[in-house]
Amino acid sequence: MVKRREPKPASSSQPTQSQIEAFASEADGGAKIKKELDPHAKHDFKGIRVPFNEYEYSKLVELSAKTGRTKLNVIRWAILKLAEDER
Amino acid sequence: MIILIGSQKGGCGKSTVAVNICAALAKTGRDVVLVDADRQCTSTNWTMDRAVKPNLNTVHSVQKYENIRETLLDLSQRYEFVIVDAAGRDSRELRTGMIAADILLVPFRPSQPDLDTLQNLQQIIIQAKDLNPKLIVYGVLTMAPTNPSIHESDEARDYLLDYPEIMLLKTTIRDRKIYRDAMSEGLGVVEMDNKKATDEITSLMQEIISW
């Protein structure tokens, strides 16, 4: 026998202050607040495939061995260092 | 219970609806506070006119602007009914009120400029419901012509079928002088001698709350 399911509310928790402020700030066509990104969040947002030439790859191996970082960590560290230098 | 009277359009009778709901609640002995979140202060002026008439049941009044959410939640702990009159535009008061309210009542006239605002309002309602899933949204036709041969109200009712987020009430508030007279006296139409207007407000109350 089938049973009727009541729709569950999307969320029962209280909205946070930043969610309220983000929603309220759009009043009268106001600018959307840019979402603060967490630099230490899990690395599950986006994966990209990066082709290297032999020289670039040998440098990556070299830096990885020299700094004790994984190859992926070297790439991430280099991106953040460049972003910081460009600020 | 928090009932927010709001829309993106001015002049659609928000304050008139808000004060008449307050008067109807007060007349039956309910504990009610009116929050004026519109800087035009129309509702506050009504409560000041009402305050000099000691024989009337009390409607408490508060003015609050900007982020009104915390105030509404706090008042709802202390009063049975919190009625909020928000400004006729997409304001911070309207948005933060929507995150706290149990009911959003959207008055709108059967006119093109009023109906044109509903599309954007529906988008705001959808966003607000993400933050406040308990929000119920009703639409009520206001200032409708009393002449039955004018079919603007029927056309507006058809138009609203395109906006499923807004549940249109059966009640129609018509354009009656008694509403304007009541407003200037600090009264609700239920406290005056006019059966048609009293029936409209009573019908509205029956539709939105247990009455």
Side-chain angles (χ1 to χ4, degrees):
Chain A
M1 188 180 183
V2 293
K3 60 183 177 184
R4 182 179 293 277
R5 292 196 193 278
E6 294 297 327
K8 289 177 184 168
S11 166
S12 58
S13 59
Q14 292 292 306
T16 64
Q17 279 304 319
S18 61
Q19 285 175 317
I20 293 168
E21 183 53 36
F23 178 58
S25 69
E26 288 179 46
D28 285 335
K32 288 188 178 183
I33 289 182
K34 203 174 173 186
K35 193 175 152 192
E36 282 286 323
L37 298 177
D38 176 11
H40 306 295
K42 271 180 73 180
H43 305 291
D44 58 359
F45 176 70
K46 180 88 178 169
I48 56 170
R49 186 183 159 89
V50 188
F52 296 102
N53 61 28
E54 193 174 353
Y55 176 78
E56 289 163 342
Y57 188 73
S58 68
K59 288 293 170 195
L60 179 61
V61 173
E62 206 176 290
L63 282 169
S64 173
K66 194 173 169 184
T67 60
R69 296 169 186 268
T70 64
K71 295 184 191 71
L72 281 176
N73 189 265
V74 170
I75 296 168
R76 288 194 192 104
W77 181 85
I79 291 167
L80 295 178
K81 179 78 172 75
L82 182 61
E84 200 178 303
D85 290 349
E86 288 296 313
R87 261 205 313 209
Chain B
M1 175 181 278
I2 303 169
I3 303 175
L4 170 65
I5 321 296
S7 83
Q8 277 193 267
K9 182 75 175 65
C12 60
K14 280 182 299 302
S15 298
T16 301
V17 169
V19 303
N20 275 287
I21 288 175
C22 287
L25 288 167
K27 194 185 176 194
T28 54
R30 310 290 181 102
D31 192 21
V32 57
V33 62
L34 174 59
V35 179
D36 194 347
D38 182 351
R39 291 178 199 272
Q40 286 187 351
C41 303
T42 308
S43 295
T44 301
N45 290 338
W46 177 83
T47 52
M48 287 167 70
D49 289 335
R50 187 178 179 86
V52 296
K53 295 182 166 66
N55 54 331
L56 294 175
N57 290 353
T58 305
V59 173
H60 301 275
S61 174
V62 173
Q63 284 176 288
K64 178 71 183 171
Y65 308 115
E66 295 293 326
N67 186 343
I68 62 173
R69 179 175 178 272
E70 294 302 323
T71 302
L72 300 186
L73 294 175
D74 178 47
L75 289 170
S76 71
Q77 304 292 314
R78 291 183 277 139
Y79 292 88
E80 194 179 356
F81 288 95
V82 180
I83 311 301
V84 191
D85 181 16
R89 58 189 174 83
D90 178 9
S91 62
R92 288 177 67 85
E93 291 84 357
L94 176 64
R95 286 178 177 247
T96 53
M98 285 164 81
I99 308 174
D102 299 289
I103 293 173
L104 168 64
L105 180 60
V106 183
F108 65 97
R109 293 187 305 168
S111 73
Q112 194 65 48
D114 278 48
L115 295 169
D116 285 344
T117 63
L118 294 180
Q119 189 162 12
N120 191 43
L121 182 62
Q122 174 157 276
Q123 292 306 314
I124 299 169
I125 289 168
I126 290 168
Q127 290 176 45
K129 279 189 170 179
D130 283 343
L131 301 173
N132 179 14
K134 73 174 192 298
L135 182 68
I136 298 170
V137 184
Y138 295 121
V140 62
L141 265 169
T142 54
M143 302 170 79
T146 50
N147 185 341
S149 66
I150 300 174
H151 300 294
E152 285 176 332
S153 299
D154 297 334
E155 290 162 10
R157 285 184 178 280
D158 285 345
Y159 190 100
L160 215 75
L161 293 175
D162 292 341
Y163 299 97
E165 292 294 331
I166 304 169
M167 283 182 277
L168 183 59
L169 299 178
K170 291 177 189 150
T171 305
T172 297
I173 307 290
R174 301 205 176 267
D175 187 15
R176 303 181 192 284
K177 183 174 179 294
I178 190 77
Y179 286 106
R180 295 187 284 278
D181 292 345
M183 200 78 197
S184 60
E185 294 295 323
L187 296 169
V189 290
V190 296
E191 295 162 323
M192 299 178 85
D193 186 22
N194 186 298
K195 185 177 183 311
K196 286 180 178 174
T198 299
D199 286 350
E200 286 171 0
I201 294 301
T202 305
S203 168
L204 173 68
M205 301 302 290
Q206 281 169 343
E207 284 199 86
I208 60 174
I209 59 168
S210 304
W211 189 243

